[in-house]
Amino acid sequence: MGFSFQLQANCTQTQARAGVFHTPHGRVETPRFMPVGTLATVKGLTPEQLEQAGSQMILANTYHLHLQPTETIIEAAGGLHAFMGWEQPILTDSGGFQVFSLSKLRQISEEGVIFRSPRDGRKINLTPERAIAIQNALGADVIMAFDECPPYPAERSAVKDATDRTYRWLERCIRAHQRPQEQALFGIVQGGVHLDLREEAARALIELDLPGYAIGGVSVGEPPEFIHEIVKAIAPLLPEAKPRYLMGVGTYREMARAIASGIDLFDCVIPTRLGRHGAALVRGERWNLKNARFKEDYRPLDETCPCAACQRHSRAYLNHLIKSREMLGYILISLHNVTELIRFTQEIRAAILADRFAEEFAIWLES
């Protein structure tokens, strides 16, 4: 039981690092991409397929699981691990981002957020205490503090108010947390695109000595260059002996550049979302398998990829499945995409351990 972060290697030319995050349900070798399983399922993939893809930690979402099937059902099933048949580490998002991005009718106050369920219209009052109670019931290894995620663009005064409130809510989350030995509570650095607000927020969070830290409020509409500037400035401020998580980021370039700044963990819906639209990630490129050029292409998507889509099937077959709208096509491409992003971070990890990261991944580190 318990949590620890073991630093194994540092890149001599960047801030990149390789480590191991130890949790009650196993270890996570970093840097690592984490697939998103919003409703206790990574869309289209079984737990066995996720393991084959190299997944060591996956995400689920507090907001969505509270609405359906409810944390009561999941707790009665023995917690999220038992409910979804996944024995390795799980992280749950607090639901803050979903409340602010999906709920049109909401009232934000110091107490929390009141919004209407998109499922049945009932009024829900989500406070920091409630968000933590839900996550305590779900039983994930890592739980996130309830935060206010300001949109982009937003007035500086509004971003400052949200950032300050996020800190006060974090203090309430810490007091409400009932399972600190079993669940690591991560704080979230907010502050929009204002580096001074970000730095102030990071330093305040560090004083609380949490098990881990996240950078949130990026990938909410701002240009990619802003994300890079934020991460480059903030990641090195976070404690070296704690895992660092960049929320909602999963492109090759964004991950590589964030790793160069010292980030350890990533999540994004990109691999399965693209898979459901017949698009494959192949060595940094995005291929639309519906295209006619694949109709008579009998080669694998990527002969170096270990996934079932690449080892057993051809581009022509995948083209046929997608054009026929066969479920198997979407499953196979999603499996490949998840494998590809995890493999990308595994290769970066190996390069860091060999102190070859800056050379081997230079193409992704360029502006």
Side-chain angles (χ1 to χ4, degrees), residues 12-24:
T12 55
Q13 299 181 59
T14 70
Q15 297 286 331
R17 71 229 203 114
V20 180
F21 179 36
H22 298 274
T23 81

Side-chain angles (χ1 to χ4, degrees), residues 33 51 53 59 71 83 90 119 124 159 170 180 186 192 197 206 236 258 287 305 325 331 345:
F33 176 79
E51 289 172 355
L59 272 71
E71 64 276 13
F83 187 62
I90 299 175
R119 288 183 172 272
I124 298 174
V159 175
L170 172 58
F186 281 25
L197 296 182
I206 291 167
W287 293 359
C305 178
R325 298 185 179 181
I331 291 171
T345 53

Side-chain angles (χ1 to χ4, degrees), residues 108-304:
I108 305 170
S109 69
E110 189 64 27
E111 178 61 21
V113 184
I114 297 175
F115 63 98
R116 292 199 176 274
S117 166
R119 288 183 172 272
D120 55 20
R122 66 189 169 94
K123 191 176 287 188
I124 298 174
N125 183 14
L126 193 57
T127 65
E129 291 81 8
R130 189 77 186 106
I132 294 299
I134 295 169
Q135 292 185 88
N136 283 166
L138 294 175
D141 300 85
V142 174
I143 65 176
M144 302 304 298
F146 189 58
D147 61 328
E148 182 176 347
C149 181
Y152 176 85
E155 293 290 335
R156 178 187 168 91
S157 59
V159 175
K160 179 167 174 49
D161 287 346
T163 305
D164 292 345
R165 184 178 291 118
T166 290
Y167 179 80
R168 294 191 296 271
W169 282 357
L170 172 58
E171 291 182 308
R172 289 165 57 187
C173 287
I174 293 170
R175 291 194 294 271
H177 189 16
Q178 297 296 307
R179 303 177 64 184
Q181 300 305 313
E182 303 159 88
Q183 298 179 290
L185 173 61
F186 281 25
I188 304 173
V189 179
Q190 290 289 356
V193 296
H194 306 283
L195 289 182
D196 60 324
L197 296 182
R198 290 273 183 181
E199 290 174 5
E200 183 182 325
R203 295 187 193 285
L205 264 60
I206 291 167
E207 291 298 315
L208 297 174
D209 191 27
L210 299 166
Y213 296 86
I215 298 176
V218 298
S219 291
V220 292
E222 74 277 48
E225 202 52 44
F226 280 30
I227 298 174
H228 175 58
E229 289 179 12
I230 291 165
V231 175
K232 186 177 180 181
I234 301 306
L237 299 179
L238 300 175
E240 189 177 72
K242 304 289 179 68
R244 303 163 177 168
Y245 164 34
L246 181 59
M247 306 177 76
V249 166
T251 67
Y252 299 83
R253 186 175 302 278
E254 287 177 349
M255 286 197 295
R257 296 175 82 182
I259 288 168
S261 297
I263 293 294
D264 306 305
L265 298 168
F266 306 86
D267 79 282
C268 192
V269 298
I270 282 177
T272 51
R273 179 173 289 173
L274 289 178
R276 296 195 302 279
H277 290 86
L281 297 168
V282 184
R283 287 298 164 184
E285 297 182 358
R286 189 175 295 187
W287 293 359
N288 183 351
L289 270 299
K290 295 177 186 175
N291 287 349
R293 70 185 177 103
F294 297 114
K295 187 175 182 179
E296 298 179 67
D297 189 338
Y298 302 105
R299 294 172 294 172
L301 265 180
D302 180 350
E303 62 183 12
T304 70

